[in-house]
Amino acid sequence: MFAALEKQIQEEMVSQSIPGFSMAIVRGREVVYANGFGVTNKEEGGVPVTANTLFRIGSLSKPLTATAIMRLVDLGKLNIDVPIQSYVPFFTLQDAAAAQTITLRMLLSHTAGLPDGTDMVGSRDLDALEQYIKQDVPQLTLIAPPGLIFSYSNHGYNIAGYVAEYVTKTYFPDLMQEILFKPLGMLRTFYDPLMAMTFPLALGHERTKSSEVVVRPFYDNAANYPSWFAMSTAVDYAKFLLLHLQAGRIDDQPILTASAIDEMQTSQVSRYNLQQLGCGLSFITERYKGIQTIRHGGAIGTYTSFMLAAPEQDLAIVTMSSQDYGIDLAYDILDQLLETESSQEILPKKTPNRSKWKSYTGHYLGNLNGLAEIFADGHHLKIRLNGTELMLHAFDENLYFTQNADGEPDMTVGFVIDEEEETPFIVLNGQTCKRMDSEQLMQPRINVSSFEGLYSNGAMSFGLTVKGDQLILLDEDQEYYCQPLFGHFFYTNEQGLLEVREIERQRTLIIQGSWSFEAVESSKVQR
């Protein structure tokens, strides 16, 4: 199998222009395969990537942070179900009352109601995390009441990491080395680029129309270490996955209790999906082709990483790449090793509860899905998503789905019920969309010609240009059509919701409601 796998990887790396890639496969109690492909740096030739080459792993950092916190729980130093203000008295948000209710369980399962985002470039000082907690976090506005829905958040993991730092009186990177990396033998997992650069390190590459260019500078922000700034190798991360396949033990030595491992891998919140999509303590939980899986992805700059595990089958896969590659490959490997079979799902017939439709109807805006309208058309409930109208079919009381042309389930829509008369949120394909006021939709569309230019956050950049009267988003060597929604809001299939507006007299592109890029030049982007 591995010869065919390597041939597939080599062919896909050429066809997709992937500079460097590494991966590892864990089965049972050992790493059965680990290898690297490509080079660390295409500009200067670089060195060959191996399974011990470091990559930025983005949000694969989150399961590391959650596991370390559960070690502290096992040691009696933390409790995930008490408000974190009992540990960090000065923790607060714009909604001070809500801040008093937030627990580590909420932070680790993305149910605290916090927004996503954070800055890719910031201070390298180790007190940056504390300064962020004291200066930036109090300005955060909740997007949902704590404990109500899944809402993915880098901020939540940075806060959780600081709780661990504050309680142990140990800077977060040092704490991670002490209680997780060294016990697991993860000798090439770091947060500090000055340590990472002493080992072979794959660099991020931006695609241009003629080549791949190394991303410079190598950005850093110590406030983000708990959420998405770790660097690791396929071999190191495989050791971490072994811990989660062996009920918290490595080489028969207990690192974490079996109950802590089980808690992490058990869904804490539903994401309203036909495949039982949920979120544990960091891990995304989902039933895939009849197999219970846990997974997590990571994306930072041009780097992409992914881990997929089937704990009951003692199988785990991790991939790391300096470009967008590896997720589909991980599922291909799982399919081959477990000999999964695709079967058309027969959904039970459900009579919809039409009495609830009035509370469902309205407009909702999502950072990944754009603008959705739920409306009743006679005896049918429908969704109009970014202008496309689809029929909704009831699956259970508050979960509906659409069908594709072959009659198979396609998109899912969950209606979040609370004490309000109107449904405040829908969950569309596992992602939250918030109800909008009708007045917001009345905002007139804006002349887009003034939007043209380059936008940057100091680490990544996007361009906006206009062709005819159509706004186009430029992402590396790709062009994406921006569908106008209302006012200064647009939608792209590839990047989700876009907004262009003035912030403190600075024209700013906001992607997915969380990531801000300031205009850095007023001249038109070259087509």
Side-chain angles (χ1 to χ4, degrees), residues 231-278:
M231 289 161 280
S232 189
T233 71
V235 167
D236 267 15
Y237 213 89
K239 296 174 182 177
F240 171 73
L241 293 176
L242 276 168
L243 177 75
H244 282 274
L245 291 186
Q246 297 183 50
R249 303 177 72 87
I250 291 291
D251 297 328
D252 290 325
Q253 296 299 312
I255 304 295
L256 206 61
T257 61
S259 60
I261 292 288
D262 184 64
E263 191 83 56
M264 291 188 67
Q265 297 179 9
T266 299
S267 179
Q268 310 286 316
V269 57
S270 171
R271 294 177 64 185
Y272 297 87
N273 176 276
L274 305 185
Q275 284 72 47
Q276 301 175 26
L277 183 67

Side-chain angles (χ1 to χ4, degrees), residues 363 436-443:
H363 291 84
M436 297 183 60
D437 294 330
S438 57
E439 292 182 1
Q440 293 176 276
L441 294 170
M442 301 303 292
Q443 299 176 35

Side-chain angles (χ1 to χ4, degrees), residues 275 286-293 331-332 334-335 340:
Q275 284 72 47
E286 186 173 24
R287 196 153 188 84
Y288 171 76
K289 296 183 179 179
I291 296 168
Q292 190 60 43
T293 64
Y331 279 101
D332 288 345
L334 184 142
D335 286 339
T340 62

Side-chain angles (χ1 to χ4, degrees), residues 19 38 125-126 133 162 185 222 239 300 337 400 402 409 430 433 456 482:
D125 294 338
L126 287 181
I133 295 293
Y162 181 71
K239 296 174 182 177
I300 181 168
L337 292 177
Y400 288 66
T402 67
C433 302
S456 175
C482 301

Side-chain angles (χ1 to χ4, degrees), residues 193-208:
L194 297 184
M195 281 296 296
M197 68 185 291
T198 65
F199 298 90
L201 172 65
L203 300 179
H205 290 67
E206 281 190 336
R207 294 190 182 105
T208 68

